[in-house]
Amino acid sequence: MEAFLISTGIVALAEMGDKTQLLSLVLAARFRKPWPIVLGILVATLANHALAGAVGSWVTTVLGPDVLRWVLGLSFIAMAVWMLIPDKLDDDEGNDAPRMGVFMTTVVAFFLAEMGDKTQIATVMLAAQYHAWAWVVAGTTLGMMVANAPVVWLGDAITKRVPIALVHKVSAAIFVVLGVLALTGWA
């Protein structure tokens, strides 16, 4: 349960101000069909994070415990630094109707946007740390939904009230704590 709760919290915080959260806002403003967008986000996230979790689980079979501890600890600290760099989304798309429909457009756009993203990397690291692939994937997916679904429904009202810089600093602090815990062998 710890893997699930920590994964949910970390990803929900890490997603604030992330390019995929901005993508949620763009899709909601462009298509104004929240249900297909939210379902598309769910399907894309499940697929992307299932793959990321599998990579994280595989890494634990290749690296010894001491090497893994250092890799995870330094990766969490690097993630903390990365959290302090805000994402931006290029909005060079037109207002054409999607050829694949709103749902499939969301699935493809979200899946591709998550490739190499902070939350995907966090999923890899969390799966490697907790050895609980299903709980990590469920937690990171829930974290993505907690961060993105309200944006689809409430859009601009949320982004104007949430101090993104503060959220990024809190997320960075959590990643530093996890990194130090991993390096000292407490996690």
Side-chain angles (χ1 to χ4, degrees), residues 147-162:
N148 288 298
V151 170
V152 172
W153 278 298
L154 303 174
D156 286 324
I158 290 175
T159 58
K160 290 178 182 171
R161 291 191 174 141
V162 175

Side-chain angles (χ1 to χ4, degrees), residues 24-173:
S24 297
L25 184 60
V26 168
L27 290 169
R30 184 170 177 205
F31 300 128
R32 300 196 187 282
K33 293 186 177 188
W35 281 108
I37 294 169
V38 169
L39 291 173
I41 291 169
L42 176 63
V43 168
T45 301
L46 277 170
N48 194 291
H49 288 202
L51 291 171
V55 168
S57 295
W58 171 78
V59 164
T60 63
T61 65
V62 177
L63 301 177
D66 288 334
V67 173
L68 184 61
R69 180 173 54 89
W70 280 96
V71 168
L72 286 173
L74 294 174
S75 295
F76 278 123
I77 292 169
M79 185 67 74
V81 173
W82 192 6
M83 283 303 307
L84 298 174
I85 303 169
D87 283 326
K88 291 177 179 50
L89 181 69
D90 296 328
D91 190 17
D92 57 355
E93 296 181 32
N95 287 330
D96 300 336
R99 281 185 257 157
M100 298 182 287
V102 174
F103 172 76
M104 279 309 295
T105 298
T106 302
V107 169
V108 171
F110 236 82
F111 185 86
L112 293 175
E114 266 299 286
M115 296 303 286
D117 196 53
K118 288 179 272 213
T119 51
Q120 185 189 41
I121 303 300
T123 302
V124 170
M125 294 180 337
L126 290 162
Q129 180 174 357
Y130 286 105
H131 308 286
W133 175 86
W135 286 113
V136 168
V137 171
T140 59
T141 300
L142 179 60
M144 288 288 287
M145 298 312 293
V146 164
N148 288 298
V151 170
V152 172
W153 278 298
L154 303 174
D156 286 324
I158 290 175
T159 58
K160 290 178 182 171
R161 291 191 174 141
V162 175
I164 298 299
L166 176 62
V167 171
H168 280 225
K169 289 175 187 172
V170 169
S171 299

